[in-house]
Every structure is written in C-alpha cells, then in structure tokens.
C-alpha cells in the first residue's frame, strides 16, 4: 500500500464483520488516561461513549483497545436508515423456508465482542432503543422476532461514537440513552503528539511533519472566518502519505487539505496564503 517506510498496523483477520485481533497492536498514541479508564469500564461491563470531531482517533483507539483486551471487534457505521433489524437480525427466505440471520449486534452479544456503533445518533430511534437493555444490569438483547432473550456473553461491551455539534439538534441523543454511558472526550492531538502520529503513519521526516502541523494549526484558525470544517489528523496523515509517496508538498496540500475542506474561493485563497507562509521548499 503506502511507502516502504510506513510501519503499518496489523489489522488482524476479519470474518463475517467480526475483526479478530492480530499479533501487533494497532498504533495508538494516548492523550491522557483514556486507556486506563476504558480498561476499567471493560472489566466492569460499562458501556462507553467516545465523543469528538471527525478524524481525531476514535476508531483507532477502539481498534487498539480491542487488541489490548483481546476481544473481537464488531463495527457498525450508523446511518439515518439504520433500523433495529439491521442491528439485531432478520428472517431470510431460502429454498427450504425461512432462516434467521443475526445482525452485527446479536453476533457481538453472543460471542462477547466489543460492539462499536459509529455515529450512533444517525441511526433511527428504534435502533437506538434496542441497545438500552444491554447497557444496564440486565445485559440482555431481546430478539422480538424469534422470542429469544440473549444474555450477553462475558467480554461483550457496547461502545458508541458521537460527534458533538456536527448533527442537527433534533438528532441529539436522548437523555435516557446518554445516561447509560461513560463518556470519553477526544479532540485533535496537541501539536507534539500530532507530529509524532504523522511521522508514524506516513513515514515523512520530522521537519515536514512539523510544517504540516503548523499549517493545520493556522487553517484551524480560519474557523473564525467561516471555515466550517477544519483539518483533522486524518487529513494531515493523508497529505503526509502523498508527500511520502513523492507528490510535491504544495500539490499534496492542495489536493489533500485545501480542496476537501472548502469550495469557497476566498477561503481557498486564504489557505493558499497559509501554505505559502508555512511551506518553504
Ligand atoms: N491518537 C492517535 N494515535 C494514532 N493515530 C491517530 C491518533 N489520532 C488520529 N490518528 C490518525 O488519524 C486517522 C484518523 O483517525 P480515526 O479514523 O480513528 O478518526 P475518528 O475519530 O474515528 O473519525 P470519524 O469520527 O470520522 O470516524 C487514523 O487512521 C490515524 O492515522
Ligand atoms: Mg471513526
């Protein structure tokens, strides 16, 4: 895939939407006590909510934690059409009649996996409600269509992600849902940590990683001038990978940072000025 200098994380193996841990830890650079807190929550079967902007490391964190805790990981990307049946399962018509097929949540509950519901506020209300009995002392999943009451296997843990401020208020989580979770707040890494992450993930040299982080800091300042989306660590990593693969830095910054962020000619011009000020090549 990327340049030869990249130390790629071992993704483990995947079967039927379940990711099993590989030999090597997915790379994750912590910012505080999140590893300890999550470990305690796991041991006490507490559900966890990861809050934070796009591209700041939430998915990488959960991949890392599943590896540390030696648990399979089931990830569901929620969308506004996601129903309870998409999570729990449905009857399928086959030649010899109907057969029940577990959805990803039921599979995770039965095998004791960590179930990560990404952007859960996007899901339909009926889907959000099915997770409630799994988040309290009952730890059960009622499957109405089969009449089954599945008890969560040891090791099952529910984790949701949530990007505050991104969705419309009408899509906010209900208090009865929110109050079932321990919440971990994520944000963009500090400049030093972001440099370290970029070097690890792309293989670029330190000076360039510093420049990219300085540039990101200044572009993030344009939020005051109407830039709705500011660059995430994900965009910086992608830009750095282009550069590591031989794309000239200015071009990489244009296609990797500027264009994805805005269509507004004034903001684009302002970002070009910042690139000229920061990148000396
Ligand atoms: N603390 C970190 N340690 C290691 N890599 C990180 C960290 N933070 C960000 N990254 C890098 O940024 C990329 C994007 O992070 P990730 O996919 O985890 O974001 P996310 O918070 O899940 O975003 P989204 O809300 O859009 O799903 C990762 O693939 C990784 O390269
Ligand atoms: Mg993610």
């Amino acid at each position: 895939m990327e340049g030869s200098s990249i130390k790629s994380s071992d993704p483990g193996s995947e079967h039927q939407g379940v990711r099993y841990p590989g030999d090597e830890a997915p790379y994750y650079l912590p910012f505080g006590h999140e590893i300890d807190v999550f470990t305690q929550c796991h041991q006490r079967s507490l559900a966890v909510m990861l809050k934070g902007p796009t591209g700041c490391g939430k998915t990488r964190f959960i991949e890392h934690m599943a590896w540390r805790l030696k648990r399979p990981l089931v990830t569901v990307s929620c969308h506004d059409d996601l129903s309870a049946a998409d999570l729990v399962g449905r009857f399928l018509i086959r030649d010899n009649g109907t057969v029940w097929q577990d959805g990803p949540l039921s599979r995770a509950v039965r095998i004791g996996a960590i179930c990560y519901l990404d952007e859960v506020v996007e899901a339909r209300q009926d889907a959000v409600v099915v997770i409630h009995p799994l988040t309290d002392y009952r730890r059960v999943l009622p499957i109405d269509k089969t009449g089954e009451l599945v008890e969560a296997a040891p090791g099952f843990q529910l984790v949701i992600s949530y990007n505050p401020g991104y969705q419309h208020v009408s899509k906010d989580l209900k208090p009865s849902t929110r109050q079932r979770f321990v919440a971990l707040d994520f944000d963009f890494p500090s400049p030093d940590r972001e440099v370290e992450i970029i070097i690890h993930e792309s293989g670029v040299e330190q000076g360039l990683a510093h420049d990219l982080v300085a540039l990101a800091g200044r572009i993030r300042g344009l939020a005051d001038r109407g830039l709705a989306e500011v660059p995430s660590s994900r965009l910086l990593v992608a830009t750095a990978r282009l550069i590591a693969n031989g794309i000239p830095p200015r071009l990489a910054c244009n296609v990797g940072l500027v264009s994805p962020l805005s269509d507004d000619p004034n903001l684009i011009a302002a970002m070009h000025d910042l690139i000229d000020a920061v990148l000396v090549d």
Side-chain angles (χ1 to χ4, degrees):
M1 34 174 245
E2 299 90 352
S4 55
S5 54
I6 298 172
K7 296 163 228 160
S8 65
S9 298
D10 175 4
S13 60
E14 188 149 344
H15 181 63
Q16 291 190 327
V18 183
R19 165 93 59 97
Y20 295 89
D23 293 336
E24 207 185 310
Y27 169 72
Y28 175 73
L29 187 67
F31 60 84
H33 301 291
E34 70 274 29
I35 292 182
D36 283 348
V37 174
F38 190 94
T39 304
Q40 288 301 323
C41 291
H42 185 78
Q43 281 161 6
R44 286 163 204 284
S45 304
L46 294 171
V48 176
M49 172 194 307
L50 309 182
K51 294 166 69 175
T54 185
C56 70
K58 301 183 296 297
T59 295
R60 183 59 69 83
F61 171 69
I62 204 67
E63 288 169 354
H64 179 82
M65 290 311 300
W67 182 87
R68 262 179 185 259
L69 297 164
K70 302 190 172 28
R71 298 314 312 161
L73 176 64
V74 173
T75 300
V76 183
S77 297
C78 301
H79 51 79
D80 55 10
D81 224 13
L82 188 100
S83 65
D86 292 326
L87 287 180
V88 175
R90 48 172 54 90
F91 281 106
L92 300 177
I93 298 167
R94 293 277 184 263
D95 294 342
N96 49 354
T98 55
V99 287
W100 173 257
Q101 188 176 58
D102 272 344
L105 180 63
S106 310
R107 211 169 295 138
V109 167
R110 290 190 208 275
I111 66 173
I114 294 177
C115 186
Y116 181 47
L117 304 180
D118 208 354
E119 281 299 328
V120 73
V121 278
E122 294 295 334
R124 280 170 28 180
Q125 217 22 254
D126 62 312
V128 177
V129 166
V130 295
I131 66 181
H132 282 192
L134 282 167
T135 53
D136 54 32
Y137 68 95
R138 291 172 285 177
R139 280 175 60 84
V140 289
L141 178 67
I143 304 184
D144 294 343
K145 286 183 184 152
T146 60
E148 221 184 331
L149 191 62
V150 188
E151 236 174 85
F156 169 79
Q157 187 182 18
L158 190 69
V159 183
I160 61 174
S161 81
Y162 167 58
N163 185 341
Y166 166 69
Q167 60 284 319
H168 195 263
V169 271
S170 66
K171 280 216 154 175
D172 215 345
L173 285 176
K174 292 201 304 188
S176 59
T177 305
R178 294 183 81 107
Q179 296 200 16
R180 290 162 188 272
F181 291 86
V182 171
L184 286 175
D185 280 292
F186 284 68
D187 206 343
F188 297 131
S190 63
D192 284 354
R193 284 205 322 273
E194 203 159 40
V195 166
E196 201 175 324
I197 291 167
I198 290 172
I199 293 172
H200 182 281
E201 295 284 286
S202 71
V204 295
E205 43 95 20
Q206 190 162 24
L208 191 91
H210 268 287
D211 287 352
L212 286 174
V213 170
L215 178 61
R218 297 189 60 179
I219 295 180
R220 286 169 189 160
L222 292 177
D224 297 343
R225 288 176 50 188
L227 187 67
E229 292 270 341
V230 294
S232 62
S233 305
R234 173 187 292 128
L235 277 194
L236 293 183
V237 166
T239 304
R241 284 179 173 174
L242 290 177
I243 297 171
N245 282 4
I247 304 286
R250 271 165 218 277
L251 175 59
C253 288
N254 274 336
V255 298
L257 278 178
V258 175
S259 261
L261 288 175
S262 180
D263 306 316
D264 179 318
N266 292 327
L267 288 169
I268 290 175
M271 286 191 265
H272 283 157
D273 289 347
L274 293 178
I275 291 174
D276 289 339
V278 173
L279 284 191
V280 190
D281 52 14

